[in-house]
């Protein structure tokens, strides 16, 4: 894939450039701030953007705001955000819209090269990929909420995997159950979240949005 990378840490940026190149990806540009990221995307139109949430000058949410601007200007451009911490506000904002082609990983996950590359491929293909720790924190926030509180532990596991962007087949493989069992849990989730008779929208997306409280 043609990748544009935005990371203010020169050491991490160079490491990611080398990793992506070794895996056969073309790094079109590797920049250190949000303004350069927007300029590079406007010029190169990459297959995917990988960007740090926090970048200069304030090191707060410049990367996230640039990603949202990219999604607004060039709809459908996949973005994979990296963050040092679980920043619930940012994750919720990113997941609040269309989650197709969106990902959010903790930087520690990048060290697990296979996890990072798997997320890159899924997001680049138009799927979603959210760090399990981010999902766990979001899930913990909603344990008291109704109707989410009515979900069984297994249904919460399934919904958590849905929020990470996995398909039913992938969820079945990871939970070591049949795909039909996962489909049964998904239907139960739709029932409990009152999404059984919703039409015109993806019930899967609506369930994830309900899960993260948007």
């Amino acid at each position: 894939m043609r990748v544009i990378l935005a990371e203010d840490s020169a050491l991490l940026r160079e490491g990611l450039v080398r990793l992506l190149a070794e895996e056969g990806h073309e790094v079109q540009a590797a920049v250190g701030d949000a303004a350069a990221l927007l300029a590079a995307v406007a010029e190169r139109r990459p297959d995917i953007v990988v960007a740090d949430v926090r970048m200069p000058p304030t090191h707060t949410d410049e990367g996230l705001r640039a990603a949202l601007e990219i999604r607004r200007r060039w709809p459908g451009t996949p973005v994979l955000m990296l963050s040092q911490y679980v920043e619930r506000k940012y994750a919720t904002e990113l997941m609040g819209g269309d989650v197709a082609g969106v990902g959010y990983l903790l930087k520690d996950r990048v060290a697990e090269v296979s996890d990072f590359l798997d997320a890159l491929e899924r997001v680049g293909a138009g799927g979603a990929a959210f760090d399990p720790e981010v999902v766990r924190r979001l899930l913990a926030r909603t344990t008291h909420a109704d109707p989410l509180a009515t979900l069984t532990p297994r249904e919460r596991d399934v919904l958590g995997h849905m929020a990470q962007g996995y398909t039913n087949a992938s969820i079945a493989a990871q939970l070591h159950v049949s795909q039909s069992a996962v489909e049964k849990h998904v239907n139960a989730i739709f029932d409990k979240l009152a999404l059984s008779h919703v039409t015109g929208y993806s019930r899967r997306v609506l369930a994830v949005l309900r899960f993260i409280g948007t």
Side-chain angles (χ1 to χ4, degrees), residues 13-85:
R13 186 169 66 240
E14 182 60 26
L16 287 172
V17 167
R18 293 187 180 187
L19 171 63
L20 291 167
E22 288 174 359
E23 293 298 323
H25 299 293
E26 176 190 350
V27 180
Q28 295 182 308
V31 301
D33 61 66
L37 169 60
L38 289 172
V41 172
E43 179 182 356
R44 303 297 188 99
R45 303 296 299 274
D47 296 321
I48 186 170
V49 170
V50 178
D52 191 2
V53 167
R54 296 184 174 190
M55 286 196 288
T58 68
H59 295 278
T60 54
D61 62 354
E62 286 87 349
L64 174 67
R65 286 190 281 115
L68 295 174
E69 179 67 13
I70 289 168
R71 300 279 287 180
R72 186 186 69 78
R73 289 193 201 177
W74 302 284
T77 302
V79 294
L80 175 59
M81 303 304 298
L82 306 178
S83 179
Q84 190 71 41
Y85 310 101

Side-chain angles (χ1 to χ4, degrees), residues 148-170:
L148 289 168
T150 66
L151 301 182
T152 66
R154 177 59 87 188
E155 290 164 355
R156 295 179 72 83
D157 281 346
V158 171
L159 183 53
H161 281 77
M162 288 167 59
Q164 292 176 55
Y166 291 110
T167 63
N168 286 355
S170 294

